[in-house]
Amino acid sequence: MRFWWVNHNQTARQEIEGGYLWSPKREASGARSRFYDNMREAAPGDLVLSYSQQAVRFVGQVTDYAFTALKPPEFGSLGSYWEAEGWLLPVSWLAVERPVSPKSLISALGPLLPEKYSPIHRETGYGNQKAYLAEVPPTVFQIVAQAAEFPEVDFSRPGANTAQGDLIRELIEDEVEARLKSEPALSDTVRKSLIEARRGQGLFRANVMKVCPACPLTGVSNPALLIASHIKPWRVCTTAEERLDGLNGLMLTPDADLLFDRGFIGFGEAGEVMVSGRVDREDLRRLGLGHISLSPSGLQDAGALWREQNLQAAQAGYLKYHLENVFLGG
């Protein structure tokens, strides 16, 4: 279990009510941010202190891994300089009994805070500029939680509550679908195809079957056992062409589809299978995927199921997007 501190004065209300945290993937300048990268480091069971209006007012527990998502519409004009695509981290929030100002505890907290990437100033207790999600030592969490009279918490690490993550994904896709239904520039035929593509049906499925007639992970080719899965998620595609492009899809068995959609597996530029270090190898064996073994480099190879000659350049581009924005890595 790891412990985090989030400074979200601008968006605290929306994020607390929505059960999540959201950040851009990069700073407005295009530079990487350790605070934004931490969104992908947080894991189910981790605990988060919510700091806004100069006090810690909520404590949250991460319930699923962060996934790529557009800026929530409820943000409105907030963060107008942020890029549209970012990380959404599902979190279950609970209000503390007594909001706590870090300034009142800074003599105890200061020496414990990290020298680099601290969420608050180690001497004054004020929030640090540009800090968003920062990792803090367990002792920092415990001091603040005790002062806030936070109810007893089971600190054992639970599994992912995928129900919350799935609900958030569903709500996001509902909003995208509603926008498509009201888009006057789309013909009825295209609109219908785009909505069917959300669940891997219709024209999108037919297009994917032409490119990838069998599951690249298991070799299964019976269409009745395969799901047409988007490589770049449907919810973040920016054009009708992307949502219907057969090159932006793979035919996968249900288990492989779930692993791929959640970022637990990916495919390299040469078609090699890559498996996240966050997947239990025994679970893979139980799923019948024991032929995928961990190599010293962390890259996974399922054998000769899929190779570079089976990939087209445009599909390799989508797969690169998946590795950078969906795959969970180590």
Side-chain angles (χ1 to χ4, degrees), residues 314-329:
Q315 192 168 33
Y318 284 122
L319 290 171
K320 181 181 179 182
Y321 176 93
H322 184 276
L323 287 178
E324 294 177 349
N325 297 279
V326 180
F327 183 64
L328 289 170

Side-chain angles (χ1 to χ4, degrees), residues 44-215:
D46 290 356
L47 296 173
V48 188
L49 295 171
S50 164
Y51 174 75
S52 66
Q53 298 178 9
Q54 300 182 22
V56 172
R57 302 176 183 276
F58 292 85
V59 174
Q61 188 164 56
V62 178
T63 59
D64 205 346
Y65 294 105
F67 56 87
T68 188
L70 299 180
K71 186 171 74 170
E74 56 266 30
F75 281 14
S77 61
L78 295 173
S80 57
Y81 51 90
W82 293 331
E83 59 183 356
E85 187 177 307
W87 303 122
L88 191 148
L89 181 69
V91 181
S92 178
W93 297 105
L94 184 64
V96 302
E97 296 292 331
R98 187 180 67 178
V100 173
S101 168
K103 291 186 291 185
S104 66
L105 303 172
I106 198 61
S107 60
L109 295 177
L112 302 173
L113 290 166
E115 293 186 12
K116 193 174 184 180
Y117 304 125
S118 176
I120 61 173
H121 194 281
R122 301 171 74 229
E123 295 179 0
T124 66
Y126 288 109
N128 280 331
Q129 188 177 15
K130 291 189 176 182
Y132 183 63
L133 187 65
E135 186 170 11
V136 294
T139 46
V140 168
F141 179 91
Q142 290 161 2
I143 290 171
V144 175
Q146 183 177 11
E149 299 178 7
F150 185 64
E152 289 293 325
V153 176
D154 179 4
F155 289 105
S156 63
R157 187 184 184 89
N161 178 7
T162 56
Q164 184 189 17
D166 288 344
L167 176 60
I168 293 175
R169 287 180 180 88
E170 193 76 12
L171 291 173
I172 291 172
E173 294 196 350
D174 285 347
E175 292 168 355
V176 174
E177 183 172 320
R179 291 199 298 271
L180 291 174
K181 286 180 177 178
S182 61
E183 175 53 60
L186 296 176
S187 68
D188 290 342
T189 301
V190 171
R191 184 179 293 108
K192 180 175 182 292
S193 295
L194 292 174
I195 292 172
E196 289 177 337
R198 173 182 175 181
R199 291 183 168 84
Q201 299 299 320
L203 180 60
F204 172 68
R205 180 182 174 88
N207 290 341
V208 177
M209 284 290 293
K210 296 175 184 177
V211 177
C212 179
C215 174

